[in-house]
Amino acid sequence: MKMASKRVFHLHLVSDATGETLNAVARAACAQFEDAQPIEHVYALVRGPKQLERVLGEIESAPGIVMFTMVNEELRERLEARCLDIQTPCISVLDPVMGALGSYLGKKSSHKPGSQHTMNAEYFGRIEALNYTMSHDDGQSAGDLNDADIILVGVSRTSKTPTCIYLANRGIKAANIPIVPGVVLPPDLETAKHPLIVGLTTSPDRLIQIRKNRLLSLHENTQTAYVDQDAVEEEVAVARKLCARNGWPVIDVTRRSIEETAAAVLNLYNERQKVS
């Protein structure tokens, strides 16, 4: 039986800031409709009439669904009015949240475009975390691991680096240390008291598949211990024993996305913060 083809539609994302929040919301929503495929039209930093007119022209030439985050009332009204004229759905994704917050707090929002991206202490904290994370990737710069908030350990290709970068973008100083057969771990890893140390693991079969794809992309020989079934199973087992011996929690990333892995790590981190 033939599977039904996906319904393709135009999705216009209009923001007066970077569009990061809007894009994340739109993609999360669209992911719930597996038989639909959006063609994304992204418009960021739309803060003036001329910019909006260009956007409206594109919407008219490729009608679909419009989602927006804009705080300027005049621009909002113009966007909503034109979408009404051409009978295109137009959704302000933050209005329900802002309305609920305003009602609860008894205050009005600041109506500042991109307020969440203000260069304040939190912003510079994220930059510092990202710099730390990049300089402590894959076991680099060992010696100041106690300055980390989180350290991820695990065998090769268990998504340690992308997870650390994701955490750094949330202001977390994250280092990662590979567990390699025959290679001694940094001495300050087991003595570090400040950071939460978490082990990442995955199923040997999945790990072999990922490693083979990696070797193929590099045009290297796939007949090595790096992808040998027995060797990989032993490697994973040794890593698990190491974590158990040190009391480090372990997260299985076999069926997790980077975002899901990071969320699980952050849950452990937040629980630890409450206790300490």
Side-chain angles (χ1 to χ4, degrees), residues 18-221:
T18 63
E20 180 183 346
T21 301
L22 178 59
N23 294 349
V25 172
R27 286 170 186 170
C30 289
Q32 302 302 314
F33 299 88
E34 297 179 357
D35 59 346
Q37 179 64 52
I39 299 174
E40 291 185 2
H41 305 265
V42 180
Y43 316 96
L45 302 174
V46 180
R47 297 179 178 176
K50 287 185 178 179
Q51 294 167 307
L52 182 59
E53 282 304 315
R54 180 182 64 83
V55 172
L56 292 172
E58 301 236 1
I59 293 172
E60 288 182 358
S61 64
I65 295 178
V66 177
M67 299 175 69
F68 71 91
T69 52
M70 301 179 73
V71 296
N72 183 290
E73 289 294 337
E74 183 180 341
L75 295 181
R76 282 173 54 113
E77 289 173 5
R78 187 178 301 185
L79 174 63
E80 291 173 325
R82 188 73 67 86
C83 288
L84 182 61
D85 287 343
I86 62 175
Q87 297 183 331
T88 291
C90 187
I91 306 159
S92 174
V93 300
L94 291 182
D95 273 7
V97 179
M98 298 295 289
L101 277 172
S103 177
Y104 180 79
L105 298 173
K107 295 183 178 181
K108 292 184 178 180
S109 67
S110 64
H111 292 290
K112 291 181 182 178
S115 295
Q116 72 272 37
H117 300 292
T118 302
M119 294 176 67
N120 54 17
E122 183 182 350
Y123 173 84
F124 288 107
R126 290 200 301 272
I127 298 300
E128 183 184 358
L130 190 55
N131 287 336
Y132 180 90
T133 296
M134 295 304 294
S135 64
H136 290 76
D137 180 42
D138 203 30
Q140 297 182 73
S141 300
D144 60 347
L145 288 177
N146 202 51
D147 293 338
D149 297 312
I150 293 173
I151 300 175
L152 300 183
V153 299
V155 300
S156 173
R157 314 315 295 178
T158 48
S159 70
K160 297 185 299 298
T161 294
T163 304
C164 280
I165 293 174
Y166 188 97
L167 292 170
N169 276 294
R170 278 145 185 78
I172 300 292
K173 290 183 179 179
N176 74 80
I177 307 292
I179 299 175
V180 182
V183 176
V184 178
L185 293 170
D188 57 333
L189 175 63
E190 295 188 29
T191 59
K193 300 299 181 184
H194 173 258
L196 168 69
I197 303 175
V198 179
L200 300 187
T201 190
T202 188
S203 72
D205 290 341
R206 176 60 176 156
L207 191 56
I208 290 170
Q209 179 187 2
I210 293 172
R211 289 181 173 183
K212 282 184 175 179
N213 290 339
R214 174 65 173 166
L215 292 176
L216 287 171
S217 71
L218 298 173
H219 305 290
E220 294 185 6
N221 181 18

